Amino acid sequence: MNPQSKDRALPRVRNIIQLPTKPLNSEEWDKLKEDFKGKANFEDWIISQMAHCNSSVDVAKSLLAWVAAKNNGIVGYNLLVKYLYLCVCHKQTSEVFDVYEIMKTRYKSLESGGNTLLIRGLIHSERWKEALLLLEDIKKVMTPSKKNYNDCIQGALLHQDVNIAWNLYQELLGHDLIPMMETLKAFFDFGKDIKDDQYSNKLLDILLYLRNNQLYPEESFAHSIKTWFESVPEGQWKGKFTTIQRSGQCLGCGKNIESIHLSPEEYEFLKGKIMRDVIDGGDQYKKTTPQELKRFQNFVKYCPPFDIVIDGLNVAKMFPKARESQVLLDVVSQLAKQNLRVLVLGRKHMLMPCARWRKDEMEKVQKQASCFFADNISEDDPFLLYATLHSGNHCKFITKDLMRDHKACLPDAKTQRLFFKWQQGHQLAIINRLPGSKITFQHILSYDTVVQTTGNSWHIPYDEDLVERYSYEVPTKWLCLQRKT
């Protein structure tokens, strides 16, 4: 488009109009509507496009003025909310106030989307406490989202009301919501200017929360943590960004990171909890009949302990372009060559010969591994957990499943933490299958990738900005904090 063009609306393209770049008058809006060939309602379509393209508030305001002039001063809720969205995006606080007043006058209550936008639009202004009233309105019909809490906490900290911020944080945790990382970062950023032991202890509690929930801060949050520690008066903390050697030794300070291995007592405790709470007591296993679970338990009872338990269907489908039975055979063959006792858990349909499941390959699988084929409606996970735990602490398992559901079934933070630690130390991930059937497994680390402290030191694994990792991977970058003693 020629920037000198005097047309304030862009020309039509394939019967779909392009968005105005400057406010239009009534006649120009009439003409644009006439040119519109879409099936949707013109006003709804154009405001949605404006919201999507982050158009200027002035252009959207001219649309609302045109609509109001045609409808005795009335603008519909959908148009108001999309206009409000643009006002919030462009931080046009006075416009947010105007829309808020219109909505308060016209509607007894707003849906959560409208409330969420108003909260975000109000927190940066002197009327930020009205955002807390809107949060209360949301609570009357549903649990507010972690974004709602994030906005209100950010508003409270911005306006120096620390008590309200911490109360909202506790409320958020009370709803079993996982806070946004930017919420936690905001507390650390605010803490740089506060010399208060009580506040400091609450920040350390946030780090323990990250530990207990296996959460990793993002890089910018890790920088905020480092800055806060180094700002503590008389704390004499010094931080550096580093990595951990395969042996588990921190390259920053030379100390060893916690081992990934469970003690015999921890293992027996976790095994008992999983057997009782996940396998025997979970409603999520209604697809698995008690008779089948019993049949499986008897099968395992009369087998020697296994070294590796494979979720056969899950593993076979890891490489979509390859034949399922071939992938499964490749994995089993490679493990069997290492003289490992392997159990393959599968479904009965895998034994029905077809293009994806060749009979000769499945027979080779059965020669090299013990196999248990469950009914096609069964859940695989209880069998996988049972066989692995029953075989002992040396036994590993292979699946892509993250097993979040099972962690959720466990009754307390301690058991959930042990389950995650056990999973990290026992779940083998397949990361590649090379020509010639060679399978590459992800190396299981000897140390525990979790926030940890000795009192005079903290080690915090963090996610690098813009670096994506697979779910089975853990961060490789660490913040090492040491207190000079």
Side-chain angles (χ1 to χ4, degrees):
M1 174 193 158
N2 178 359
Q4 309 305 317
S5 168
K6 292 185 178 168
D7 281 346
R8 288 191 278 188
L10 295 172
R12 286 189 291 126
V13 177
R14 292 184 188 168
N15 290 336
I16 294 292
I17 54 168
Q18 291 192 6
L19 297 180
T21 55
K22 294 180 181 174
L24 305 186
N25 60 35
S26 185
E27 292 76 25
E28 288 169 324
W29 278 117
D30 286 337
K31 176 76 171 67
L32 206 57
K33 182 173 182 178
E34 201 178 296
D35 290 342
F36 180 64
K37 304 298 181 193
K39 292 180 181 177
N41 172 283
F42 170 74
E43 290 82 356
D44 286 342
W45 181 86
I46 195 97
I47 194 72
S48 294
Q49 292 300 306
M50 286 179 175
H52 180 71
C53 298
N54 215 7
S55 294
S56 90
V57 170
D58 288 342
V59 176
K61 196 172 185 179
S62 76
L63 170 69
L64 264 62
W66 172 66
V67 170
K70 293 193 305 174
N71 294 303
N72 299 320
I74 302 294
V75 175
Y77 184 80
N78 183 48
L79 288 180
L80 274 177
V81 168
K82 294 276 172 51
Y83 176 66
L84 175 61
Y85 170 81
L86 285 170
C87 296
V88 172
C89 285
H90 291 289
K91 295 188 166 55
Q92 298 278 331
T93 308
S94 61
E95 292 297 323
V96 172
F97 291 162
D98 289 347
V99 176
Y100 184 28
E101 293 307 324
I102 292 168
M103 287 179 153
K104 274 201 301 188
T105 306
R106 195 173 302 164
Y107 305 105
K108 283 184 181 175
S109 62
L110 305 177
E111 45 77 49
S112 63
N115 276 327
T116 294
L117 285 170
L118 285 169
I119 287 171
R120 185 156 295 170
L122 290 170
I123 56 164
H124 297 288
S125 75
E126 70 277 5
R127 292 173 62 178
W128 70 276
K129 283 198 172 176
E130 292 180 59
L132 304 181
L133 300 176
L134 292 167
L135 188 72
E136 291 303 315
D137 286 344
I138 293 175
K139 282 191 231 171
K140 289 171 189 170
V141 290
M142 62 192 289
T143 301
S145 70
K146 60 185 177 182
K147 283 187 177 178
N148 295 145
Y149 277 110
N150 174 61
D151 288 337
C152 290
I153 288 168
Q154 298 263 16
L157 292 175
L158 186 67
H159 296 90
Q160 311 286 309
D161 202 321
V162 179
N163 289 335
I164 285 180
W166 283 119
N167 288 341
L168 288 168
Y169 174 67
Q170 288 304 325
E171 200 177 283
L172 177 156
L173 295 182
H175 286 305
D176 284 333
L177 294 170
I178 293 174
M180 294 174 70
M181 286 296 164
E182 63 187 88
T183 307
L184 304 180
K185 180 180 183 296
F187 281 114
F188 276 86
D189 288 339
F190 188 81
K192 290 198 297 285
D193 306 316
I194 291 188
K195 313 306 175 205
D196 172 14
D197 287 347
Q198 201 176 2
Y199 192 96
S200 296
N201 288 335
K202 286 179 176 175
L203 293 184
L204 298 181
D205 284 342
I206 285 179
L207 295 180
L208 294 176
Y209 173 83
L210 294 177
R211 172 186 172 84
N212 291 331
N213 291 276
Q214 296 85 49
L215 297 172
Y216 305 117
E218 293 148 357
E219 192 170 343
S220 55
F221 181 13
H223 279 275
S224 294
I225 294 169
K226 178 179 183 286
T227 303
W228 175 74
F229 268 97
E230 292 177 341
S231 76
V232 175
E234 290 102 44
Q236 300 215 305
W237 286 93
K238 192 74 189 142
K240 62 173 74 168
F241 295 103
T242 186
T243 54
I244 308 296
Q245 291 181 301
R246 276 179 76 155
S247 64
Q249 189 179 44
C250 172
L251 284 173
C253 65
K255 297 194 175 91
N256 282 328
I257 299 300
E258 290 175 28
S259 167
I260 192 66
H261 303 296
L262 271 60
S263 69
E265 296 76 24
E266 287 175 328
Y267 179 77
E268 288 304 320
F269 172 82
L270 179 67
K271 179 179 172 182
K273 288 279 190 184
I274 289 180
M275 295 296 193
R276 188 167 60 252
D277 294 326
V278 177
I279 293 171
D280 295 339
D283 275 352
Q284 71 276 33
Y285 298 131
K286 284 183 176 169
K287 289 182 186 171
T288 302
T289 64
Q291 293 86 345
E292 183 155 61
L293 207 49
K294 192 74 189 161
R295 178 169 77 89
F296 177 66
Q297 286 169 330
N298 285 333
F299 167 83
V300 170
K301 186 176 171 183
Y302 295 109
C303 289
F306 298 104
D307 299 309
I308 305 272
V309 179
I310 298 175
D311 181 342
L313 196 58
N314 185 300
V315 166
K317 291 181 179 294
M318 279 185 184
F319 302 97
K321 290 181 181 174
R323 187 170 57 252
E324 276 102 328
S325 55
Q326 179 68 61
V327 173
L328 185 56
L329 177 58
D330 290 347
V331 174
V332 169
S333 298
Q334 192 162 316
L335 295 169
K337 281 175 191 164
Q338 298 170 45
N339 292 320
L340 296 169
R341 284 195 57 81
V342 179
L343 170 63
V344 174
L345 299 172
R347 306 281 180 89
K348 287 180 178 172
H349 74 79
M350 292 160 64
L351 296 174
M352 305 290 286
C354 65
R356 306 298 295 170
W357 297 101
R358 274 183 29 186
K359 184 179 178 183
D360 61 318
E361 289 171 344
M362 289 307 292
E363 283 174 350
K364 286 176 186 170
V365 166
Q366 288 171 278
K367 278 181 183 161
Q368 297 179 79
S370 299
C371 296
F372 183 90
F373 296 97
D375 288 332
N376 293 329
I377 57 165
S378 293
E379 284 279 356
D380 296 323
D381 294 351
F383 298 118
L384 185 80
L385 286 171
Y386 184 90
T388 309
L389 287 162
H390 189 273
S391 292
N393 205 356
H394 72 286
C395 184
K396 307 284 192 286
F397 64 93
I398 306 178
T399 179
K400 262 198 321 190
D401 190 352
L402 294 180
M403 302 205 174
R404 287 202 179 103
D405 290 349
H406 315 309
K407 186 186 158 198
C409 291
L410 296 168
D412 55 74
K414 178 192 172 186
T415 313
Q416 290 181 5
R417 166 84 196 97
L418 283 176
F419 179 76
F420 184 82
K421 187 172 180 177
W422 173 78
Q423 184 182 355
Q424 291 278 94
H426 291 78
Q427 184 166 0
L428 271 175
I430 295 171
I431 54 175
N432 205 357
R433 178 176 177 268
L434 301 169
S437 314
K438 173 79 173 158
I439 303 288
T440 311
F441 294 99
Q442 175 85 356
H443 173 71
I444 291 182
L445 298 173
S446 63
Y447 55 87
D448 196 1
T449 309
V450 70
V451 173
Q452 46 199 270
T453 181
T454 61
N456 286 324
S457 73
W458 282 88
H459 285 91
I460 300 167
Y462 66 90
D463 275 323
E464 292 177 274
D465 290 343
L466 307 176
V467 174
E468 289 196 14
R469 58 182 170 82
Y470 289 105
S471 53
Y472 57 77
E473 293 178 321
V474 288
T476 57
K477 295 293 166 79
W478 290 69
L479 169 60
C480 166
L481 292 151
Q482 299 292 323
R483 180 158 53 191
K484 294 174 193 165
T485 50

